[in-house]
Amino acid sequence: MIGENVSILMPDQDAAAHDTRIESYISSDIARFIGVTREVSGKRRNGSIIPIEIVVSELRVGGTRRFIAAVRDITARKNFEDRLRYLATRDTLTGLPNRNLFVERLEAATHRCDTAGTRIAVCYVDLDQF
């Protein structure tokens, strides 16, 4: 891909955002994303969308600016993170939400109620010897 824009590896909306960041950097010289690793969507040759990690560096040769991007497919890592999240919030025997997920969702619901000025009700069922 030497000489190509790395945005050809991204879906249209991510490619446009990436190009805007580059143009903004060139015009202002403020490095908000140079050397910063970002997770964005990538596009395979067949058009399927995958999660990728990208970091852009700048190389100045004479009076010419060159941008170098390192791109990595992080599909396996994302799948592993999803699996860990599932195991942390579900009962291993039944697959039902566990106490951690209940508390997480209850906190989110109470925050929404506080923000909206509404109320919430919680029903509790205790199943002894389950």
Side-chain angles (χ1 to χ4, degrees):
M1 287 195 42
I2 296 173
E4 296 291 330
N5 188 334
V6 73
S7 65
I8 65 173
L9 298 174
M10 300 175 193
D12 293 339
Q13 72 271 13
D14 287 334
H18 175 77
D19 290 342
T20 300
R21 283 186 180 97
I22 292 284
E23 290 165 8
S24 174
Y25 172 67
I26 290 171
S27 65
S28 69
D29 224 19
I30 299 173
R32 289 193 176 111
F33 78 101
I34 298 295
V36 176
T37 302
R38 296 179 297 127
E39 290 182 9
V40 296
S41 296
K43 185 172 55 174
R44 287 193 173 125
R45 283 186 182 172
N46 66 7
S48 63
I49 304 299
I50 58 169
I52 61 172
E53 197 172 70
I54 183 171
V55 62
V56 177
S57 299
E58 180 183 18
L59 176 66
R60 293 184 188 220
V61 179
T64 307
R65 282 180 160 172
R66 300 282 183 213
F67 293 96
I68 302 166
V71 179
R72 180 172 46 178
D73 180 350
I74 57 172
T75 303
R77 186 182 87 197
K78 287 296 190 180
N79 290 340
F80 183 70
E81 288 172 358
D82 290 344
R83 180 72 180 144
L84 281 177
R85 191 174 301 108
Y86 180 85
L87 290 173
T89 59
R90 302 290 172 156
D91 178 75
T92 53
L93 179 63
T94 63
L96 294 171
N98 65 14
R99 183 182 301 265
N100 291 336
L101 185 57
F102 170 75
V103 170
E104 182 181 306
R105 289 184 177 171
L106 181 62
E107 287 174 353
T110 54
H111 178 71
R112 282 192 311 271
C113 288
D114 289 344
T115 303
T118 58
R119 295 182 180 179
I120 189 172
V122 177
C123 278
Y124 177 75
V125 177
D126 186 13
L127 301 174
D128 289 331
Q129 305 294 321
F130 181 69

